[in-house]
Amino acid sequence: MTGLLIVATAPVLEQGETLRLDIKFVEGMRAHCAHWNGPVRCILRRNAAPIPFGADYDPSALGFDLRILDPDQPVGPAEMAGIRAVFAAADDAQALGLGPTARAAGAILVYSLEYTLETRLRIVGLDQSKSLPRKIWSALWNLRQERRRRAALKAADGVQANGYPAYDSYRSLNPNTMLYIDGRMTPRLMATPQEMTARAARQRDGAPLRLIHSGRLEPMKGAQDLLPVMAALRALGVQATLDIYGAGSLRDTILQGLRSFGGAVRLHDPVDFETGLVPVSRGGADIFLSCHRQSDPSCSYIEAMGCGLAVAGYANRMWSRLASDSDCGQVAPLGDVAALARRIAAWDRNRADLIQSAEIGWRFAQAHDFASEFKARMDHLTSLLPRA
C-alpha cells in the first residue's frame, strides 16, 4: 500500500468529538481518496480562522486520516509512517522545509503553488491595513521566503502550478512541472445547451446587458473599479445592470455609490457557490466583469466561462493568457476603466461577437472541468513514484 500525505492549510475548529471543517476542503480530500490507490492522511494546523462555508464532521467518518498539529509543530516520523508520497503547498512557508523529512521517510515530495513573487508583493502594497513600515517588513519577509521557495521547488520531485503566471515563473526550476487550471465546475454545474440558446436569443433581441461580479470586495481585487466601469458604460450609452456578490472592506463604499445608478447596480451578500452563484450566473447574467489587477489564478474566470458567461477583465498575467489560450473574452489594460468599458460596449454593439465569445469559453471550460484537471494532477503525482 502506498500512503499519501497531504499537508493542507485549511482551517479547523475542534469541538469536542466533532470537527468544524470547510466543506470544499472535505470534498477535495475525498476526491483524493477516490483517485489514490492507498491510504490518505492529511495534516492541518490548529487555528482560529473563520469557516464561513463549514460543517461539523465526525473524524472517524471522514474517509481519511486527519491529524491536527500545533501551529509550529514540525511534521515528524509519526506523521510520515507508511507514507510514500507527500503533497504540500509551496505557498505555505511552513511547508518549504518538508524536503529532508520526506527524503528520510523514503517518500517523494510534490509541491503545488499558485502565487508568484510579483503577486505577493502586489498584495502587500495594496493592503490598506498595513502601515508603510509594516509593508516594508512584509516585502522583505516575502523576499527571504522566495529564496527558500525556489530552493524547495528545485529540490522537489515534482511541481504542480495553478495558472499560467506560476507555471511561467517556476517551471525552469523543476523539469517535472505541470500546469493546471483550478476551478470548481463539474459537468453537472456547467450551463446547459438550452440555457446557452436562451441567453443568446435574449442578447440577439437587444436586451440590456446583465453583468455580474463575485469575490472579495477589496482593493487588491480591484473592487474599487466596479462602479466606475458602470458609470463609463452609462456615459457610452450602454444599457446594462450589474449584480455584485461579495463582502470586504469596500462594501460600505460600494453600497453608498449605488444611489447614483437608480437600481441598475445591486449589491448582494456572498452566496454558496453551487446553490447560489452558479444558478444566478447560468440563468440571469451575460458577462462576468473582472477588475482584478493581480496575476493570481482566480478560478472565477473558468467558472464564469463554464456558466456560459462571456468574460471581460484587466490584462493581468492570468486573464490575458487564459483569454488568449481559450480565444475568447475581452482584455483591457490594467486599471484602465474607460478601456474596459469600451470593450464591453463593443459587445453591446455586436451581439454576435458576444454570443460567440461565450460559446467558445463555455466549450473551453468543459474541457478543463474539475474532474479532468484533478485526474491530470493525480496522474502526474503517480507518475513520479519509484517503479517497483
Side-chain angles (χ1 to χ4, degrees), residues 143-330:
L143 289 170
R144 289 194 298 271
Q145 297 307 315
E146 184 67 8
R147 289 194 290 270
R148 294 182 60 225
R149 181 170 294 106
R150 295 181 72 85
L153 295 175
K154 188 174 183 179
D157 295 281
V159 177
Q160 297 184 1
N162 178 13
Y164 302 100
Y167 181 72
D168 291 341
S169 295
Y170 297 110
R171 64 178 175 176
S172 64
L173 298 176
N174 194 303
N176 294 320
T177 299
M178 71 162 288
L179 164 71
Y180 71 98
I181 301 174
D182 193 26
R184 294 169 285 182
M185 297 298 286
T186 61
R188 176 178 62 85
L189 296 178
M190 298 282 180
T192 66
Q194 293 78 13
E195 289 169 339
M196 297 296 290
T197 299
R199 181 189 286 110
R202 183 183 180 278
Q203 291 169 356
R204 288 192 190 95
D205 287 342
L209 295 180
R210 301 169 298 177
L211 279 61
I212 189 171
H213 174 85
S214 63
R216 290 163 52 200
L217 304 180
E218 301 289 346
M220 67 180 65
K221 300 295 184 180
Q224 67 273 21
D225 289 352
L226 295 173
L227 298 189
V229 168
M230 289 300 290
L233 283 173
R234 184 167 58 183
L236 291 170
V238 176
Q239 288 190 332
T241 61
L242 171 63
D243 285 283
I244 303 170
Y245 292 83
S249 64
L250 295 178
R251 181 178 175 81
D252 289 344
T253 301
I254 292 173
L255 193 61
Q256 293 170 10
L258 298 183
R259 299 188 188 97
S260 63
F261 290 94
V265 181
R266 299 171 286 266
L267 180 60
H268 311 269
D269 290 332
V271 294
D272 179 73
F273 177 72
E274 289 195 16
T275 62
L277 188 61
V278 167
V280 167
S281 298
R282 284 168 48 174
D286 302 302
I287 298 170
F288 182 82
L289 173 62
S290 172
C291 297
H292 205 153
R293 303 187 186 200
Q294 294 172 225
S295 294
D296 60 89
S298 172
C299 57
S300 296
Y301 306 121
I302 196 75
E303 290 169 353
M305 291 157 69
C307 289
L309 303 182
V311 179
Y314 287 148
N316 60 62
R317 289 172 59 195
M318 180 62 192
W319 172 235
S320 59
R321 280 285 301 279
L322 180 55
S324 176
D325 271 21
S326 61
D327 196 28
C328 71
Q330 295 280 14

Side-chain angles (χ1 to χ4, degrees), residues 114-174:
E114 58 183 55
Y115 289 119
T116 64
L117 178 61
E118 172 194 355
T119 295
R120 296 175 198 280
L121 295 178
R122 184 179 291 272
I123 290 173
V124 171
L126 292 173
D127 190 344
Q128 294 182 328
S129 70
K130 285 188 171 73
S131 63
L132 180 58
R134 287 185 63 200
K135 287 184 178 182
I136 293 173
W137 185 91
S138 295
L140 292 174
W141 183 87
N142 274 285
L143 289 170
R144 289 194 298 271
Q145 297 307 315
E146 184 67 8
R147 289 194 290 270
R148 294 182 60 225
R149 181 170 294 106
R150 295 181 72 85
L153 295 175
K154 188 174 183 179
D157 295 281
V159 177
Q160 297 184 1
N162 178 13
Y164 302 100
Y167 181 72
D168 291 341
S169 295
Y170 297 110
R171 64 178 175 176
S172 64
L173 298 176
N174 194 303

